[in-house]
Amino acid sequence: MSGLPQTPSQTVGPFFHYALTEQAVDRLDPDGRAGEPIVVVGTVRDGAGELVRDAMIEVWQADGGGRYRHPADGRAADVPSAFIGFGRVATGKQDGAYRVSTVMPGTVPGRDGSVQAPHLNVQVFARGLLRHLHTRIYFEGATANDADPVLASVPEARRRTLLARADGTEDGQARYRFDLVLQGADETVFFDA
Amino acid sequence: MTANEHPDRYRARDRAADPPLDHPAYKSTSLRHPDQPPVPLDHTLSEVTGPGPALSEVSVEDADLTTNAGTGTEAMGERIIVTGRVLDEDGAPQPGTLIEIWQCNAAGRYIHEGDQHPAPLDPNFIGRGRCVTDEDGSYRFLTIKPGAYPWRNHPNAWRPAHIHFSLFGPALVTRLITQMYFPGDPLHALDPIMGSVPQEHWSRMIGAYDHDVTQAEWALGYRFDIVLRGPDATPFEAGGAGALA
């Protein structure tokens, strides 16, 4: 039924920074009106446990009210105007770390009347990734996690790889740590979305 | 689909044409590909929304790479026009889609600090640009033809000339980063990145020389249409492969 063939994916390669992340989008709520401010930090590691120092992380998320800034969300007009919900950062050339300051998203409607727990949608790009990876960051201890249908679809033993854990505070904001592992024993769950 | 309709599910990626994550000929995949199969994710509001529409509103056009270094002097190299349309699988134009491109210069050197290839940098070329597709999904860049360059994947390895393309499309799941190659390049058959896609699908990644795009006394023209995932009207079978097959 489909007519035109999709254009295949190719790797972002090692030389994307000056085009895509030189101006990092790492403050998702510049005027502080979209929800409870949080900071999310972490690293990316490969199958040998080495830091991946040339990855790009993109975040897409709802605001504190669980609304997306997108025409498919009928509540988009209520999203504070300065909040797009998009973040884009590179991992550090030295420390392999990323950091975004944002807001805790609200619960988001799921399929068939279900409720999705607060989560950030994450896409990972890097040299050596011929197509990008897709995952979600949930928050350890959030009560809505128990009823989240996407978390429930993940083998129980691996669900913890999708949970950011509380990591103190930073300038009075709750900080969460979410470390990505591309391969191996603690491999992060990636989705076929 | 009209612009006012919003699908609640998109068709699956074409995995017959997409590269595998584990592709031994491209050495950097060896420690970076997940071992576990991906977990199927039926699309929700989180996947059928995405940053594309909002980013298109806030992005400033910067589509002339021959002059956007801002030095007042044109970049060195063979001036080319790269144009095309962004469509979905149904052939529906994708208007308002942000396209970002980046490339090396005519000598095969990126302005990136990590590029140590001993070829000259061009002070009048930064090698990045962006534009937003118009109502019929069209885009147009003016740039210079990138050179080939060596890399260390294997002995005497060279990347064929290419331009990196990044697109958002209407939804999170229409995100695409790819590379456009040039027709007739003998390096195609030697490149493990291009070779990660089965050869019968290479035409989807190769810009076509188009003499109607070429402007007399000015620049050669290439046409490169990009096809993103389209809306899926097939009911999802709970627990089955269904739309995710």
Side-chain angles (χ1 to χ4, degrees):
Chain A
M1 59 180 275
S2 65
L4 301 177
Q6 292 173 10
T7 305
S9 172
Q10 292 275 268
T11 181
V12 75
F15 300 138
F16 61 84
H17 299 81
Y18 72 92
L20 302 184
T21 59
E22 187 174 281
Q23 293 180 296
V25 184
D26 59 356
R27 290 179 63 225
L28 278 68
D29 186 27
D31 65 0
R33 297 176 54 206
E36 172 203 343
I38 62 170
V39 176
V40 178
V41 299
T43 56
V44 181
R45 290 185 185 274
D46 69 13
E50 294 294 323
L51 292 165
V52 174
R53 298 178 172 89
D54 55 4
M56 179 172 81
I57 305 280
E58 288 185 351
V59 171
W60 170 242
Q61 68 163 98
D63 71 0
R67 300 168 295 230
Y68 284 103
R69 170 84 169 269
H70 187 280
D73 190 328
R75 308 160 301 163
D78 297 326
V79 177
S81 59
F83 184 82
I84 290 178
F86 174 69
R88 179 157 78 176
V89 295
T91 54
K93 292 183 179 67
Q94 306 300 324
D95 61 7
Y98 72 93
R99 179 186 185 282
V100 292
S101 72
T102 184
V103 299
M104 177 63 77
T107 57
V108 171
R111 293 195 79 90
D112 305 321
S114 63
V115 175
Q116 303 188 77
H119 64 276
L120 311 185
N121 306 286
V122 174
Q123 294 177 323
V124 184
F125 304 79
R127 170 179 63 87
L129 288 180
L130 284 161
R131 49 182 212 251
H132 62 266
L133 302 175
H134 187 125
T135 188
R136 288 182 171 196
I137 300 177
Y138 287 87
F139 296 89
E140 188 174 47
T143 52
N145 287 347
D146 298 337
D148 183 276
V150 174
L151 273 178
S153 75
V154 173
E156 189 170 2
R158 301 189 66 208
R159 280 178 208 159
R160 62 184 175 79
T161 73
L162 298 176
L163 300 178
R165 64 176 197 277
D167 186 35
T169 60
E170 191 174 312
D171 299 330
Q173 301 174 9
R175 184 173 60 206
Y176 292 88
R177 170 164 289 277
F178 186 80
D179 293 327
L180 287 122
V181 179
L182 301 183
Q183 183 189 89
D186 295 313
E187 186 177 305
T188 303
V189 167
F190 297 103
F191 293 101
D192 185 4
Chain B
M1 299 295 294
T2 70
N4 294 324
E5 294 172 18
H6 299 289
D8 74 345
R9 189 176 281 126
Y10 282 81
R11 285 203 285 271
R13 283 293 304 177
D14 179 1
R15 293 299 189 211
D18 260 339
L21 286 163
D22 182 12
H23 183 60
Y26 175 24
K27 291 207 169 60
S28 294
T29 65
S30 66
L31 289 170
R32 294 185 168 191
H33 73 271
D35 288 327
Q36 301 290 332
V39 175
L41 174 57
D42 191 12
H43 296 166
T44 73
L45 193 61
S46 297
E47 289 76 35
V48 301
T49 59
L55 291 177
S56 303
E57 290 174 20
V58 301
S59 296
V60 179
E61 292 262 332
D62 185 18
D64 180 357
L65 285 73
T66 68
T67 61
N68 71 355
T71 57
T73 302
E74 261 197 290
M76 194 72 79
E78 181 185 331
R79 195 186 291 120
I80 61 171
I81 296 158
V82 178
T83 187
R85 296 174 78 201
V86 181
L87 306 162
D88 72 11
E89 293 166 87
D90 298 323
Q94 302 293 296
T97 288
L98 174 63
I99 304 180
E100 297 161 291
I101 66 168
W102 68 104
Q103 63 170 88
C104 63
N105 67 22
R109 178 85 183 263
Y110 286 88
I111 203 167
H112 193 280
E113 64 184 25
D115 186 355
Q116 297 301 312
H117 174 38
L121 282 167
D122 179 349
N124 302 308
F125 187 71
I126 53 176
R128 68 176 178 223
R130 84 180 86 83
C131 71
V132 174
T133 55
D134 65 15
E135 279 308 300
D136 73 345
S138 295
Y139 72 90
R140 184 181 189 274
F141 289 100
L142 182 65
T143 184
I144 54 96
K145 190 173 181 185
Y149 59 85
W151 60 314
R152 291 174 180 167
N153 186 73
H154 57 273
N156 204 15
W158 291 78
R159 293 292 337 274
H162 61 277
I163 299 176
H164 295 267
F165 274 71
S166 165
L167 297 92
F168 286 88
L172 185 65
V173 294
T174 56
R175 185 85 173 93
L176 177 70
I177 288 186
T178 189
Q179 299 179 24
M180 183 200 103
Y181 299 93
F182 289 84
D185 188 334
L187 293 174
H188 289 172
L190 302 172
D191 180 40
I193 292 180
M194 192 167 181
S196 67
V197 170
Q199 188 166 356
E200 64 260 37
H201 304 307
W202 284 2
S203 62
R204 306 183 193 184
M205 304 189 292
I206 301 173
Y209 174 72
D210 187 336
H211 205 59
D212 291 331
V213 174
T214 292
Q215 289 189 4
E217 315 290 333
W218 177 246
L220 292 178
Y222 292 88
R223 181 168 292 281
F224 181 54
D225 292 339
I226 298 162
V227 180
L228 304 178
R229 297 164 74 168
D232 182 16
T234 309
F236 182 75
E237 303 289 338
L244 295 171

